[in-house]
Amino acid sequence: MEDSKKIINTGLRGVTVASTRISHVDGEAGKLIYRGFPIFDLSDKTSYEEIVHLLLYESLPTEQQLINLNKRLTDQRKVPEKLIAALKTQPEDALPMDILQAAVPMLAAGDSNAAELTIDNSQRIAESLIAKIATIVAAWHRIRNNLDPIAPDPSLNHAANFLYMMTGQKPDETMARFFDTCLVLHAEHSFNASTFSARQIASTRAHMYAAVAGAVGSLSGELHGGANTRVMQMLQKINSVDAIDDYIRQVLETGGKLMGLGHAVYKTGDPRARILAPMSKKLGELSGNTKWYDMSIALEEKGKKAFKEKKGIDIYPNVDFYSASLYHYMGIPMDLFTPVFAVSRIAGWTAHVIEEQFGGADAKPVLYRPASDYVGDYCGPAECEFVPMEKR
Amino acid sequence: MEDSKKIINTGLRGVTVASTRISHVDGEAGKLIYRGFPIFDLSDKTSYEEIVHLLLYESLPTEQQLINLNKRLTDQRKVPEKLIAALKTQPEDALPMDILQAAVPMLAAGDSNAAELTIDNSQRIAESLIAKIATIVAAWHRIRNNLDPIAPDPSLNHAANFLYMMTGQKPDETMARFFDTCLVLHAEHSFNASTFSARQIASTRAHMYAAVAGAVGSLSGELHGGANTRVMQMLQKINSVDAIDDYIRQVLETGGKLMGLGHAVYKTGDPRARILAPMSKKLGELSGNTKWYDMSIALEEKGKKAFKEKKGIDIYPNVDFYSASLYHYMGIPMDLFTPVFAVSRIAGWTAHVIEEQFGGADAKPVLYRPASDYVGDYCGPAECEFVPMEKR
């Protein structure tokens, strides 16, 4: 084995494992691009449904393509009765991400053509998952509160329909548009941990549901999708602008982190945070309670200054930082922040699974099967002589 | 980025991503070692429960340690009633691997301490999963056949109890011992695809259930755990020793593969196949029907010869090759072969998750987050100018 292939215990950071046509994260320039298009344009000018088309079908839709896609997505929103029945058996204090991870393979169980590996079938399943994950997250929230799930409303777009199914209230235009933009912003982010999980599972030729269920598990981790919840927990703990200085001092003294500030890839700021911040401000103002936004902006400014002065490092808000207060203003319960991430990211996951399954011009799908370095156990790297039980 | 870190579209083959103390696959020498001990010794002299102790607690157990572990495992076999209730909602033609992947997060939903990341808690969850996955696989097989699940029998060891819960018959001593050996042989295999999935998901600090559910998804792929089912399908298709020559000729002509012959890592033969083959022979003889074994051994010999002559390559049976006929002789339905793989491999998965979570002397846990090479889309690698819908 060549030495160049020994990259031990670094979590594959900076290791380029595959080529992709789906998205590009330019950490140095602070740019995020979905199939060629910068996120600033997309978030400003498109809907989540257009992004679904862009990610799955490699182009922004024409008007007719979008009408057709909308029709297929709205037709697919309803989940099988057997799945709702299964959810109703589960304990109401279950973590919503566990429920979502259980639900995805049950969608497979209800799909008699889950395993056929053709591009048409994968696109069909992708659309079905994009349509249904929103329904599952909303349905579970109702079920755990002893409320009946609310049937999807085909007159609402994906974003507005999710908020409606979750709360029972149709959101006003501003909130619906802002949530739509959140879905656009979270839809895709290259080879992040959950997407890599999905691709890695799909590389065994497991079906798309199996891969997506793995991605849901990965997203649940606090170092990944769980981070937006932790930002809100931090804001609630601090609880006032006046308490920020003390909190930062304490974090610096204990070698801790400010949640939502800093990113593994973006070195000069996460473009999504810049788009989310004004939406949080606006919804704060409309709700008559700007506290959570005010705390966020103050924490960003003071945290940036303090970490530069004391540690010499630049920290910038990432996508989780302003989505926390924004989701809170939208009435989304804190423990649904990460499931809501999945409601959007399913578009990226499924696009990546399709790329893994069928490749592009430059991609050559192959089972991910890395090597490891056996460093031995209590006999050292040598083999142990077997010891019968009576001599142990 | 250094060039040495660009390893594109190779599925990480030969790339050493982590150090491990758990096992060693020496492909050149045809050796498999669990924590220092060669698989030939372990399969000959230990039980699955001893292997669980070895993998989770890093030593072969003393008699008292084994008694304690057996007690804890048998106490943990029962699964929550809510989980059984959920399984009963599902369609009877669901793929058993989909059901298993759904069941694991429901175990999390029933565990109020799923998310605490301490080594004690992880070992507790590991034992619980090892005990319960067997119960889930057997229970689903009963439920889909409109039969009541059979309660675990604490007087039986893990292997015998699984066969009992699945069939309702207590296996005789030979079959119980052989199945125990199968569990020993399948328990662990370094950074195979499903184990890598589990570690990669756990690296986000997602809980163990989330990681294991991902691993189940990965194992379901036909290039991984699904291979044993495909061996049996191939044997059924050939259906007689006389038809083997024709089958091999056809495979060679169409550029196909002989299922279960060949392995990504073992270049001189898979030691597990050498252990499984005589067990298949013996059970064939005891059942009075050696057809499936006879076909397997003939296919191995003729296939090896033909591939050497026509393609110049050496092919050897892997773990899936003889486990297919062996499981068939044990009365395990073909679509449970892969779930049975999971019944065993859960020991390895959970040991790896613990190593990922808490590291060893040489391991430094870090989120797996590889890079990718954006090769552009229809605008090429450059950014596209946004096109409003009316101009698309």
Side-chain angles (χ1 to χ4, degrees), chain B residues 51-341:
Chain B
I51 297 301
V52 167
H53 196 280
L54 179 63
L55 292 173
L56 290 186
Y57 302 105
E58 306 183 25
S59 69
L60 286 167
T62 63
E63 199 176 345
Q64 189 57 50
Q65 284 173 329
L66 185 59
I67 290 169
N68 296 346
L69 175 63
N70 279 338
K71 170 88 168 68
R72 295 196 303 273
L73 288 174
T74 50
D75 285 353
Q76 287 290 323
R77 284 177 185 165
K78 207 164 171 302
V79 300
E81 280 306 320
K82 286 174 192 284
L83 173 55
I84 297 293
L87 298 185
K88 286 181 175 171
T89 65
Q90 291 301 294
E92 52 196 52
D93 62 350
L95 298 175
M97 286 299 278
D98 291 337
I99 294 295
L100 182 59
Q101 200 187 21
V104 171
M106 288 193 278
L107 289 178
D111 179 353
S112 58
N113 201 25
E116 185 197 312
L117 264 181
T118 62
I119 194 158
D120 285 353
N121 197 45
S122 287
Q123 286 166 341
R124 175 190 68 80
I125 296 172
E127 289 183 1
S128 175
L129 279 163
I130 291 164
K132 289 183 175 67
I133 281 187
T135 310
I136 291 165
V137 172
W140 173 248
H141 182 59
R142 306 285 297 179
I143 290 167
R144 67 173 174 172
N145 288 305
N146 286 309
L147 298 166
D148 279 330
I150 293 172
D153 180 340
S155 76
L156 299 175
N157 71 11
H158 194 69
N161 178 60
F162 171 74
L163 293 174
Y164 166 64
M165 290 189 299
M166 184 185 71
T167 63
Q169 306 288 322
K170 293 185 186 178
D172 65 32
E173 209 175 305
T174 304
M175 195 182 290
R177 174 60 196 149
F178 282 5
F179 188 61
D180 194 19
T181 303
C182 289
L183 295 183
V184 170
L185 292 175
H186 286 81
E188 164 55 17
H189 208 251
S190 186
F191 277 52
N192 57 85
S194 57
T195 301
F196 184 46
S197 297
R199 290 189 72 129
Q200 199 250 324
I201 293 170
S203 80
T204 69
R205 300 178 67 82
H207 59 51
M208 187 178 284
Y209 298 100
V212 166
V216 170
S218 192
L219 191 72
S220 73
E222 66 180 33
L223 298 183
H224 187 16
N228 52 15
T229 308
R230 286 161 63 90
V231 171
M232 196 66 217
Q233 286 166 335
M234 175 184 69
L235 294 176
Q236 290 185 332
K237 192 175 165 194
I238 302 174
N239 203 34
S240 81
V241 172
D242 294 343
I244 287 176
D245 286 329
D246 273 355
Y247 185 79
I248 293 173
R249 191 164 40 243
Q250 205 179 357
V251 164
L252 280 168
E253 279 170 14
T254 56
K257 284 179 182 179
L258 294 172
M259 291 295 135
L261 292 166
H263 192 279
V265 180
Y266 292 112
K267 300 302 170 205
T268 57
D270 182 333
R272 299 167 297 178
R274 295 274 66 85
I275 301 166
L276 289 162
M279 295 195 285
S280 172
K281 183 166 192 278
K282 179 81 179 174
L283 283 196
E285 287 165 1
L286 287 174
S287 75
N289 172 10
T290 59
K291 170 179 165 179
W292 304 108
Y293 171 75
D294 293 342
M295 282 178 61
S296 301
I297 193 92
L299 192 60
E300 176 188 347
E301 285 166 8
K302 287 169 183 281
K304 195 182 282 180
K305 193 154 165 276
F307 270 69
K308 186 71 179 175
E309 278 176 17
K310 300 284 177 188
K311 299 208 161 182
I313 56 170
D314 293 306
I315 56 172
Y316 297 93
N318 60 40
V319 71
D320 303 307
F321 191 73
Y322 285 101
S323 57
S325 54
L326 182 55
Y327 288 165
H328 182 73
Y329 285 130
M330 288 176 175
I332 300 173
M334 198 163 61
D335 69 352
L336 292 192
F337 287 7
T338 313
V340 163
F341 198 151

Side-chain angles (χ1 to χ4, degrees), chain A residues 30 32 37-45 271-272 274-275:
Chain A
L32 169 60
F37 296 102
I39 194 67
F40 287 109
D41 282 339
L42 297 175
S43 62
D44 190 38
K45 295 166 186 156
R272 299 167 296 178
R274 295 273 66 83
I275 300 165

Side-chain angles (χ1 to χ4, degrees), chain A residues 265-278:
Chain A
V265 179
Y266 292 113
K267 300 304 171 203
T268 57
D270 181 333
R272 299 167 296 178
R274 295 273 66 83
I275 300 165
L276 289 161

Side-chain angles (χ1 to χ4, degrees), chain A residues 245-257 307 310-311:
Chain A
D245 286 330
D246 273 356
Y247 184 80
I248 293 173
R249 189 162 44 241
Q250 205 180 357
V251 164
L252 280 168
E253 278 170 15
T254 57
K257 284 179 181 178
F307 270 69
K310 300 284 177 186
K311 299 208 161 182

